[in-house]
Amino acid sequence: MASIDAGSDNQFIPADRSSQIRFWIVLGGLVIIVSVSSLFRFYSAGFFLHEEDICRHFYGFKENEIDFDVKALSDRVEEVLSKMNSLQALRQIRLPRVEGASKSTITEDPLINFFIVEEIRKYITPKKELEEYMNYDVGSYCKDDWNLAQRLMINGCDPLPRRRCLTRASKLYQKPYAINASLWRMPDDRNVRWSNYLCRNFTCLSSKNPKRGYSKCTGCFEMDKEKVKWIGNGSIPVDFSVIDVLAVKPGEIRIGLDYGIGTGTFAARMREQNVTIVSTALNLGAPFNEMIALRGLVPLYATLNQRLPFFDNTMDLIHTSGFLDGWIDLQLMDFILFDWDRILRPGGLLWVDRFFCSRKDLDDYMYMFLQFRYKKHKWVVSPKSKDEVYLSALLEKPPSLRYGVLLLEFYYGDITGLIFLSKNVTDLVYRCSPLIRLPLHFKLIMLRPRPSDGDDGEVVGVWIGR
């Protein structure tokens, strides 16, 4: 039985030796072919790669596909950047640099957008100072840290977060004077907290004291000097009187804003004419807000960065003096002027009082005021010194439709269309420059509002192209 089983196991192996050798060679070759084929399949499937190579192998793209996509994307980006660079309105945009692209040959435009740097910078409040301001005991007395709060406001943290603590007041606070007496009388020294000022009384704030602690509005705390302001034409032509200004709009000026730095004298003078004025103030080294309030007037604690807390088209008069001068940045001034235009009603007056700047910068600042196309009632430029000049102006805000309407009528074959472009004629270059390159005939029509401020307008200009 054993011999039979052994013979049955080797029944496929040849009996002679030469045939056996050939059989094993063929069988070994088949094994090698199968093994190599299996190894090739495993390698093709990525099983012999490192972990990052496996991810790249299974989820990556072919090299030729990468080159095609990158080139197409690069061409598209270049096209968009070229179009953006051709637009004057977008030249202030700064494109952020991509991290890891240090070998890139694209140079970054040095022009920086105002919103990206200047505007955002004002809203990045120092964290340590804000934490110090908000570190208090609920229900107890607040720390005497109004100067810290003002510093936060100037740095852009405006409005400040509210706190649940009790405000400190002067321990010797006295009853204020009656309204008729308080307008032109120095307040009681005991009604002011002097702990954060260099001076400790109103007498110390005299312009004759070199250590008074403030430089803006020198002499504002001397009532004998304040009483003579705005009561008549001054020594130079840029001084306008309250009576002359109110005569431009008799009976129409009721409420207004005094935007500047002072102790409320302009508001007091207007109160004598039954006009209510809100006065902006910051305590820049002296108690300006307290002084205005103790005179029976309304102070508005606001910074230059703050949007004025008034609704649109509500003010009859805006007066500015001593604050917006030649030191101010043109872009910041532009935001302020547009905010004034927002709150000033149609027919309201903008009184620019003794604005001074360098003589070489006068044209730039004059454009800032004239860009709104207000009606000129008074406009006076007078020398202040050899290199500086004064500018005083009384301007009236026109009706809302002040720029005219610009229409585009075009013809392309049998197609005729009419497009409303803008109310601002200065948009003509930016809006119409792409259309001039198109193969079509067009007509630009500008309409100017009628003097009666109606909805219709008269055609004042027509331009034909192609």
Side-chain angles (χ1 to χ4, degrees):
M1 293 294 296
S3 61
I4 295 174
D5 295 335
S8 62
D9 292 336
N10 299 325
Q11 57 182 341
F12 296 103
I13 300 177
D16 57 319
R17 185 170 182 81
S18 59
S19 300
Q20 290 180 356
I21 293 175
R22 286 195 299 270
F23 173 79
W24 289 114
I25 291 175
V26 173
L27 183 61
L30 292 174
V31 171
I32 292 174
I33 293 173
V34 172
S35 300
V36 171
S37 177
S38 300
L39 290 174
F40 179 75
R41 290 180 177 274
F42 278 109
Y43 181 80
S44 300
F47 287 100
F48 296 100
L49 301 176
H50 294 289
E51 183 176 352
E52 61 275 9
D53 295 330
I54 292 176
C55 295
R56 189 181 302 110
H57 176 79
F58 282 105
Y59 305 106
F61 297 95
K62 295 181 180 180
E63 186 175 358
N64 57 350
E65 293 178 351
I66 295 178
D67 293 339
F68 175 79
D69 290 342
V70 170
K71 187 177 184 304
L73 179 61
S74 177
D75 294 341
R76 179 58 179 165
V77 170
E78 290 293 336
E79 179 184 356
V80 172
L81 290 178
S82 177
K83 291 183 178 180
M84 291 174 62
N85 191 42
S86 65
L87 296 176
Q88 181 72 19
L90 297 178
R91 283 185 180 177
Q92 295 295 314
I93 290 182
R94 176 181 180 179
L95 299 176
R97 180 172 296 174
V98 180
E99 296 183 0
S102 57
K103 298 181 180 180
S104 175
T105 58
I106 300 177
T107 58
E108 188 178 30
D109 194 336
L111 295 177
I112 299 176
N113 187 287
F114 177 78
F115 295 101
I116 296 178
V117 175
E118 295 297 328
E119 191 68 13
I120 294 179
R121 177 180 58 82
K122 295 184 297 186
Y123 291 94
I124 301 178
T125 303
K127 181 180 179 181
K128 185 177 297 184
E129 293 185 355
L130 184 59
E131 290 178 348
E132 179 183 354
Y133 174 75
M134 294 304 295
N135 183 18
Y136 67 95
D137 296 328
V138 176
S140 63
Y141 279 98
C142 302
K143 294 178 289 187
D144 190 9
D145 57 355
W146 67 262
N147 53 345
L148 172 62
Q150 180 171 274
R151 189 162 62 249
L152 288 170
M153 291 172 59
I154 294 176
N155 288 334
C157 187
D158 192 7
L160 284 171
R162 291 180 291 185
R163 300 191 297 188
R164 293 181 294 166
C165 56
L166 303 175
T167 302
R168 295 179 181 272
S170 173
K171 297 180 180 179
L172 304 175
Y173 198 91
Q174 302 294 309
K175 183 173 64 174
Y177 301 130
I179 182 60
N180 294 330
S182 63
L183 283 180
W184 305 107
R185 182 178 179 180
M186 291 300 297
D188 195 320
D189 295 334
R190 294 173 292 181
N191 289 350
V192 177
R193 287 183 297 146
W194 298 95
S195 57
N196 289 314
Y197 301 111
L198 291 180
C199 289
R200 292 296 183 266
N201 52 62
F202 286 108
T203 305
C204 174
L205 296 174
S206 170
S207 59
K208 299 179 182 179
N209 181 14
K211 297 182 180 181
R212 58 186 178 272
Y214 71 98
S215 58
K216 282 285 187 180
C217 195
T218 304
C220 285
F221 293 91
E222 300 172 43
M223 202 57 66
D224 55 340
K225 295 181 179 180
E226 294 292 287
K227 287 181 179 180
V228 298
K229 290 183 177 180
W230 298 292
I231 59 175
N233 296 326
S235 58
I236 56 178
V238 293
D239 291 333
F240 304 155
S241 69
V242 167
I243 301 299
D244 291 342
V245 171
L246 294 180
V248 174
K249 291 280 188 176
E252 296 185 24
I253 306 302
R254 305 153 301 162
I255 58 174
L257 172 69
D258 182 20
Y259 196 93
I261 182 169
T263 55
T265 298
F266 179 79
R269 189 64 66 194
M270 295 295 285
R271 185 165 187 164
E272 295 176 339
Q273 306 298 323
N274 296 322
V275 179
T276 302
I277 297 293
V278 177
S279 305
T280 62
L282 286 173
N283 288 359
L284 301 177
F288 290 98
N289 278 275
E290 296 95 316
M291 178 71 175
I292 295 173
L294 290 172
R295 295 178 70 178
L297 305 168
V298 182
L300 178 62
Y301 195 39
T303 65
L304 289 175
N305 304 327
Q306 180 180 347
R307 184 179 188 266
L308 291 172
F310 302 110
F311 195 70
D312 304 351
N313 304 309
T314 53
M315 291 291 149
D316 299 323
L317 172 70
I318 294 180
H319 172 263
T320 178
S321 177
F323 208 26
L324 293 184
D325 294 323
W327 62 268
I328 192 170
D329 179 76
L330 289 177
Q331 289 178 316
L332 176 58
M333 184 177 180
D334 206 30
F335 277 97
I336 295 173
L337 291 178
F338 271 95
D339 201 28
W340 290 357
D341 180 76
R342 177 185 63 83
I343 66 173
L344 190 64
R345 66 167 177 83
L349 298 179
L350 172 60
W351 183 354
V352 181
D353 195 357
R354 280 202 176 202
F355 176 89
F356 72 88
C357 64
S358 173
R359 190 181 299 272
K360 62 182 178 64
D361 297 330
L362 179 61
D363 290 340
D364 295 332
Y365 287 108
M366 286 175 60
Y367 169 77
M368 301 300 291
F369 292 112
L370 295 176
Q371 64 177 324
F372 300 94
R373 306 193 180 187
Y374 284 12
K375 179 181 178 181
K376 292 182 183 177
H377 290 284
K378 294 178 181 291
W379 184 275
V380 180
V381 178
S382 177
K384 179 178 183 289
S385 62
K386 180 181 179 180
D387 299 323
E388 293 182 324
V389 293
Y390 281 120
L391 169 64
S392 289
L394 185 63
L395 310 173
E396 179 182 345
K397 180 178 178 179
S400 58
L401 190 59
R402 71 188 75 166
Y403 296 110
V405 180
L406 192 63
L407 303 176
L408 173 66
E409 183 179 358
F410 65 91
Y411 312 92
Y412 184 74
D414 297 332
I415 303 176
T416 303
L418 187 64
I419 300 176
F420 172 78
L421 291 180
S422 175
K423 290 183 178 180
N424 193 338
V425 181
T426 58
D427 288 345
L428 172 63
V429 176
Y430 306 122
R431 303 258 184 158
C432 299
S433 57
L435 297 172
I436 296 176
R437 297 191 294 268
L438 297 179
L440 51 82
H441 298 273
F442 62 90
K443 180 194 301 182
L444 291 175
I445 306 172
M446 187 177 73
L447 302 179
R448 183 173 58 195
R450 294 185 185 277
S452 59
D453 193 23
D455 295 333
D456 299 330
E458 57 176 323
V459 177
V460 295
V462 177
W463 296 266
I464 307 295
R466 306 271 183 215

